[in-house]
Amino acid sequence: MKVVVIGGTGLIGSRLVNNLRAHGHEAVAASPKSGVNSVTGEGLADALKGASVVIDVTNSPSWEDTEVLKFFETSTRNLLTYEAAEGVGHHVALSVVGTERLLESGFFRAKLAQENLIKASKNPYTIVRATQFFEFVKQIVDYSTEGNKVRMPAALIQPMAADDVASAVARIATDPPVNGAIEIGGPEQFRLDELARRFLDAHQDPREVISDPHGRYYGIEVRERALVPDNNARLGETRFETWLAQSALLIASASPQPAAVGVAAGKQEKP
């Protein structure tokens, strides 16, 4: 079948496209780089011609409250409208486990608005709610870093590898729509502070993790189980230690100065 991946050149999108093509599907990587813009509508009509499935894995370039809401609402409305006109049989959107429990954040309010637009439409759909990705653990740690201290709560988290996210979304997208949500997550639960320590230790990063009940996750306080899925979630296979080992090998093979990896890991990044 023809599957159009909106956001098809990003972290999850690129993996999705490769996975779908490996299973014999015609996967189109649609993004502004390829002349397809879900916010302006540019290129959407042509990209969706003959599509059976559209998978939305886009993300807002800004986390500012007004901008992120505008992005997800505008993009989602455009996709649903163009899909209905083309007769697309399955709209799949990647969302976040616990979104309704994280509404102190404008980003998660925007994701909930996106979900509600999809549910209110007449388009056949599946919302895939994923837990946090291993690939963003460093970003979480950096966001909570002050000087050489990282203040993290002991809330539970069940992260998963981006490859497992892509595999799960590809399988769900090529199944019939459920007109509801499916949760996916990693095979292990951690405490956030423990996860941060293990990540920093693996990268020989000298920052100290402070367990703080008022520590924040992307700037908001979280309850103990806010970030973990229900018991019926579909779980990936990649364990955190396996991913750490694999990512360390990739970093070492790509860097002419492997000894500098630990220093580089401590640089501040913004989400």
Side-chain angles (χ1 to χ4, degrees):
M1 63 178 69
K2 179 179 177 179
V3 182
V4 180
V5 181
I6 308 295
T9 58
L11 174 70
I12 302 300
S14 57
R15 288 167 166 80
L16 254 176
V17 168
N18 290 338
N19 185 294
L20 290 162
R21 287 174 180 170
H23 286 85
H25 301 290
E26 178 190 351
V28 178
S31 73
K33 292 179 182 178
S34 65
V36 181
N37 190 314
S38 60
V39 174
T40 65
E42 177 189 0
L44 272 181
D46 287 339
L48 268 54
K49 284 181 180 176
S52 299
V53 182
V54 170
I55 307 174
D56 180 8
V57 292
T58 57
N59 203 355
S60 173
S62 169
W63 274 32
E64 192 277 323
D65 288 1
T66 302
E67 290 300 315
V68 71
L69 181 62
K70 180 180 178 182
F71 174 89
F72 281 117
E73 287 189 333
T74 304
S75 175
T76 301
R77 286 194 180 104
N78 282 340
L79 289 174
L80 294 171
T81 298
Y82 280 89
E83 288 169 27
E86 187 57 38
V88 174
H90 194 181
H91 176 90
V92 180
L94 182 60
S95 192
V96 185
V97 162
T99 289
E100 72 286 353
R101 301 188 289 266
L102 303 168
L103 298 182
E104 184 183 339
S105 162
F107 175 84
F108 292 106
R109 292 196 295 272
K111 290 300 290 184
L112 188 62
Q114 177 190 32
E115 291 188 9
N116 288 337
L117 284 171
I118 295 167
K119 293 174 184 176
S121 76
K122 295 181 180 179
N123 300 40
Y125 73 91
T126 304
I127 294 168
V128 184
R129 283 185 153 199
T131 57
Q132 184 56 268
F133 311 154
F134 293 152
E135 285 77 4
F136 290 140
V137 173
K138 178 184 182 298
Q139 192 176 82
I140 294 167
V141 171
D142 288 347
Y143 204 85
S144 295
T145 296
E146 296 178 5
N148 199 43
K149 309 288 186 184
V150 183
R151 296 190 177 277
M152 300 292 293
L156 291 168
I157 189 168
Q158 195 168 330
M160 64 189 303
D163 285 336
D164 287 350
V165 176
S167 296
V169 173
R171 286 194 298 270
I172 291 166
T174 51
D175 284 340
V178 302
N179 294 320
I182 294 173
E183 290 190 330
I184 60 175
E188 308 164 279
Q189 287 188 0
F190 303 89
R191 298 288 179 178
L192 264 171
D193 52 350
E194 171 199 358
L195 185 70
R197 286 190 192 94
R198 291 176 69 166
F199 179 84
L200 294 177
D201 287 347
H203 289 82
Q204 299 179 342
D205 190 308
R207 283 178 287 176
E208 179 186 3
V209 177
I210 307 295
S211 298
D212 183 349
H214 299 293
R216 293 178 172 257
Y217 173 81
Y218 282 129
I220 64 173
E221 288 195 25
V222 291
R223 297 191 302 274
E224 182 178 39
R225 299 192 60 83
L227 306 175
V228 296
D230 292 335
N231 293 333
N232 61 351
R234 302 183 186 185
L235 304 184
E237 297 181 354
T238 307
R239 301 177 75 84
F240 188 53
E241 290 298 330
T242 303
W243 178 84
L244 278 174
Q246 292 170 344
S247 60
L249 286 173
L250 288 172
I251 291 171
S253 64
S255 173
Q257 295 177 308
V261 169
V263 177
K267 292 182 180 178
Q268 187 78 7
E269 293 180 1
K270 293 182 180 179

